[in-house]
Amino acid sequence: MIDQENQGFGQTAAPSQGAASDSMLGLGEEGAKPIGKLVEIAGSSSLAALDLQRLIECSQDADASIAQAGQVGSQIKIRTSDGWLIASVRNQRQDREGDGSTVMANIDFLGEGDEEKLTGKIHRFRRGITRYPIPGALIYAASDADLQQVYASDGRSSIQIGTVYPTKDIRAGLYVDAMLGKHFALLGSTGTGKSTSAALILHRICDAAPQGHIVMVDPHGEYAAAFKDTGMILNVDNLQMPYWLMNFEEHCEAFLTTSGSERNEDADILAKCLLKARSKNRLAESIGKITVDSPIPYLLSDLTQILQDEMGKLDKASSSAPYMRIKNKIDELRNDPRYGFMFSGMLVGDTMRAFISKIFRMPGEGKPISIIDVSGVPSDITSTVVAVLSRLVFDFAIWSRNDQQRPILFVCEEAHRYVPNEKNAESSAVGRILSRIAKEGRKYGVSLGLITQRPSDLAEGVLSQCGTIMAMRLNNERDQSFVKAAMPEGARGFLDSIPALRNRECIICGEGVSIPIRVSFDNLEEEKRPSSDDPSFVSLWQQAGGEEDLVERTVERWRSQGRKKADTSL
């Protein structure tokens, strides 16, 4: 060990017997000198005393990592008897009891690596600490070469998404199996590059796994442009989702308009009539015993006729109002062309196999991702549509678990709309199924990807199930606090820099990375970006002409709900 008692901050450490000399460490002059020492050791956060003059000297170093030494979010290393510990600086404060030359900093231990005896370099880095240092242990600046070893792939399948901050050439990777196996969340305020970053990650996954199975719910129609060449784009024009795929809970959301005791009464009536309607199909006869949840095709006209017949059997003491409410709602959905993608009379055939194959990309035919654009779906049924899609993913995984496994990634943009926290929750089918996927999905090969700009509005239990969290800049203090509470202890130093992140930068921690890292995302090719750019008010407001035609075309689309063929070329 180094003789720590007689070492001053500004002196170069004498190498221990058998250890590599400073010249052999591959470090510059500044990187070979200690910058401080440990004062207090704790399991979660320890205290370090850093020499202010040494930090100033390091800031002039050509090595970007050494130049950041001691700053909040930077990495430092501590020598042990047989290797190095890597730690992250959480905060800084001046030591008011001294002469002002010492900076006190809380640090979080990230992991440890062995020391190559000949070169002194770090190798075989791994997360976690097996042996803690003692007070007085010397602290050094971590160099680019050190971080290259820390962030080097350990051999697992990974995708490269950007560059590790503050370096210029150390690539940041995500371990795909670890990230998808325990779910992930991408969080960031509007305008931080969240959609482009999500597209980048999904493109990298598709490139690495061209036979994958990815389903993405796109509530704003942004991602069709990003995956027009590599994905199947589905919207109200070609989705063709049969209404009979809904289970009983989803039927209630779509067909019932009441609440309280009236809703319970209506639900009982709907359950009885729905079961009769499903039982009329020849499939039901071949299967035998079915339930209201069985995905057996039925005719909406049969359901309304059964409601009418049941209403005719009532004695004078009973009310026909519940039957009429349900029947009128069904007729409304059948006759409204906005709901044609789901409640059309053309969707009565047994198309379940074809629909699942199309949605889940089985086979993928070179397009491993399906983008479900729900921007054209009427708002009152959007959550029901997402509930059906997410439940189909989960049910398919359950019923195919004894067969050859085909893992599915379900990505939900604007996730806080579908899995809100308890404060904003209105008991919904989609919230329950997504919560179940978060808790149980990995057992069956279902991965959940959540993308949201308001993590504080997201159900806390769902976010806590995400093993990998990617946090971009969050402007709202409540969102920042929420994310910090969900992050592991060792990432706290990184999280303090969330408000200061630039666009297309993020903090990544959890299963998908070796240790928490700050990443600057790669530039994505123009043709692979989502159509989420903000309009330039100044430049667009300087242009004139064509307004009359624009208004006329918009009104036509508005009135026809975008169904006119003439509009497809616009």
Side-chain angles (χ1 to χ4, degrees):
M1 280 288 291
I2 297 173
D3 180 8
Q4 295 156 341
E5 293 182 355
N6 298 320
Q7 288 296 326
F9 281 133
Q11 296 176 307
T12 303
S16 61
Q17 186 176 3
S21 66
D22 292 333
S23 61
M24 296 174 67
L25 294 178
L27 301 175
E29 182 181 349
E30 299 303 336
K33 302 176 184 177
I35 61 173
K37 65 180 179 180
L38 286 177
V39 176
E40 183 180 299
I41 314 296
S44 57
S45 179
S46 301
L47 186 63
L50 305 177
D51 182 6
L52 180 58
Q53 181 60 36
R54 287 289 300 118
L55 298 184
I56 295 173
E57 292 170 359
C58 286
S59 67
Q60 307 301 316
D61 200 278
D63 188 309
S65 298
I66 293 177
Q68 293 280 332
Q71 295 186 22
V72 173
S74 67
Q75 281 75 55
I76 55 176
K77 60 182 184 179
I78 300 101
R79 170 96 71 169
T80 64
S81 60
D82 57 354
W84 295 94
L85 300 182
I86 298 293
S88 172
V89 178
R90 181 188 293 191
N91 54 39
Q92 289 181 336
R93 68 179 184 277
Q94 192 172 31
D95 183 11
R96 296 175 182 174
E97 297 180 359
D99 57 2
S101 63
T102 303
V103 174
M104 306 305 293
N106 288 103
I107 64 171
D108 301 309
F109 293 116
L110 300 175
E112 60 188 359
D114 298 335
E115 181 184 40
E116 291 182 350
K117 296 305 179 184
L118 293 178
T119 64
K121 293 181 179 179
I122 298 174
H123 73 115
R124 289 184 62 242
F125 178 83
R126 52 211 174 268
R127 183 188 296 183
I129 305 296
T130 55
R131 180 183 295 178
Y132 283 90
I134 60 174
L138 293 180
I139 298 173
Y140 295 83
S143 66
D144 276 358
D146 294 325
L147 297 186
Q148 187 82 54
Q149 291 296 315
V150 169
Y151 297 119
S153 173
D154 60 8
R156 290 180 288 171
S157 178
S158 63
I159 55 172
Q160 294 189 348
I161 57 170
T163 307
V164 177
Y165 177 88
T167 69
K168 299 290 191 294
D169 55 359
I170 297 179
R171 300 293 291 157
L174 286 173
Y175 297 118
V176 180
D177 286 341
M179 180 181 75
L180 300 186
K182 294 186 179 178
H183 315 309
F184 71 90
L186 176 59
L187 319 170
S189 296
T190 299
T192 58
K194 185 172 74 281
S195 298
T196 303
S197 301
L200 170 69
I201 293 169
L202 292 175
H203 273 299
R204 294 285 193 269
I205 292 175
C206 289
D207 292 342
Q211 300 302 320
H213 310 286
I214 305 173
V215 181
M216 182 179 198
V217 175
D218 178 12
H220 302 304
E222 296 176 338
Y223 293 89
F227 294 94
K228 58 182 180 294
D229 297 325
T230 56
M232 171 69 74
I233 312 302
L234 300 167
N235 52 36
V236 292
D237 294 326
N238 63 349
L239 182 58
Q240 300 294 291
M241 185 170 74
Y243 56 86
W244 48 264
L245 284 176
M246 294 189 294
N247 64 14
F248 177 62
E249 184 181 15
E250 293 148 6
H251 270 89
C252 289
E253 280 197 356
F255 292 165
L256 304 187
T257 58
T258 52
S259 59
S261 59
E262 284 188 341
R263 188 177 183 86
N264 293 334
E265 183 183 2
D266 290 2
D268 290 340
I269 293 171
L270 179 60
K272 182 171 64 173
C273 297
L274 178 59
L275 183 59
K276 284 187 177 182
R278 290 196 192 275
S279 300
K280 294 185 70 172
N281 192 299
R282 282 179 295 179
L283 272 174
E285 298 176 5
S286 62
I287 292 173
K289 187 175 179 61
I290 67 168
T291 69
V292 288
D293 289 331
S294 301
I296 303 295
Y298 71 90
L299 296 173
L300 285 174
S301 56
D302 282 347
L303 180 56
T304 55
Q305 185 60 52
I306 292 169
L307 283 166
Q308 186 75 38
D309 295 343
E310 291 295 322
M311 185 170 56
K313 297 177 183 178
L314 295 175
D315 55 39
K316 293 185 178 180
S318 302
S319 171
S320 61
Y323 295 87
M324 290 303 299
R325 281 196 298 264
I326 301 172
K327 182 176 180 298
N328 290 340
K329 181 63 178 178
I330 295 172
D331 289 339
E332 176 189 328
L333 294 173
R334 289 172 62 192
N335 297 325
D336 192 331
R338 294 178 302 158
Y339 301 92
F341 72 95
M342 188 173 182
F343 294 101
S344 168
M346 304 297 291
L347 299 175
V348 296
D350 183 11
T351 57
M352 188 172 179
R353 295 182 188 85
F355 182 75
I356 285 178
S357 296
K358 178 173 69 173
I359 295 294
F360 298 167
R361 312 308 304 137
M362 294 183 183
E365 299 174 341
K367 296 184 176 183
I369 184 171
S370 60
I371 304 296
I372 315 296
D373 177 3
V374 295
S375 60
V377 175
S379 58
D380 61 333
I381 205 170
T382 302
S383 63
T384 305
V385 171
V386 179
V388 173
L389 293 170
S390 51
R391 183 183 52 77
L392 287 176
V393 170
F394 190 66
D395 284 354
F396 180 85
I398 288 177
W399 292 111
S400 64
R401 65 185 181 275
N402 294 326
D403 212 320
Q404 182 180 3
Q405 196 172 37
R406 294 288 185 184
I408 300 174
L409 168 60
F410 187 78
V411 183
C412 192
E413 175 65 277
E414 295 286 359
H416 59 276
R417 290 171 50 175
Y418 306 115
V419 276
N421 56 28
E422 291 74 13
K423 179 181 176 182
N424 301 321
E426 299 177 357
S427 185
S428 64
V430 65
R432 279 188 287 274
I433 187 60
L434 288 178
S435 295
R436 190 177 179 195
I437 290 175
K439 295 172 185 175
E440 307 173 32
R442 64 188 182 89
K443 302 175 185 176
Y444 304 105
V446 178
S447 178
L448 183 62
L450 302 177
I451 305 171
T452 179
Q453 58 183 308
R454 291 305 305 271
S456 61
D457 288 343
L458 195 67
E460 188 172 2
V462 173
L463 187 60
S464 66
Q465 295 291 331
C466 293
T468 304
I469 296 180
M470 293 171 261
M472 306 184 76
R473 188 175 69 250
L474 291 165
N475 301 323
N476 185 282
E477 187 174 351
R478 190 161 61 96
D479 290 330
Q480 296 169 17
S481 301
F482 191 81
V483 173
K484 287 179 182 179
M487 290 280 202
E489 188 74 17
R492 296 295 171 87
F494 289 87
L495 296 179
D496 289 336
S497 62
I498 282 181
L501 291 174
R502 294 173 291 190
N503 285 354
R504 295 178 47 255
E505 280 190 350
C506 79
I507 305 297
I508 306 178
C509 70
E511 301 295 329
V513 289
S514 298
I515 61 172
I517 55 174
R518 178 173 172 177
V519 175
S520 178
F521 281 114
D522 288 339
N523 282 318
L524 192 59
E525 298 90 334
E526 187 71 34
E527 65 274 10
K528 293 184 177 180
R529 296 178 189 173
S531 55
S532 56
D533 292 338
D534 296 329
S536 172
F537 286 82
V538 173
S539 63
L540 292 175
W541 283 356
Q542 289 176 346
Q543 302 172 12
E547 286 91 344
E548 296 88 349
D549 292 339
L550 169 65
V551 172
E552 182 178 351
R553 292 194 301 268
T554 301
V555 169
E556 286 182 6
R557 286 194 294 266
W558 196 341
R559 285 175 171 164
S560 63
Q561 301 295 306
R563 291 186 309 279
K564 284 193 175 183
K565 289 185 178 180
D567 289 341
T568 58
S569 61
L570 297 176

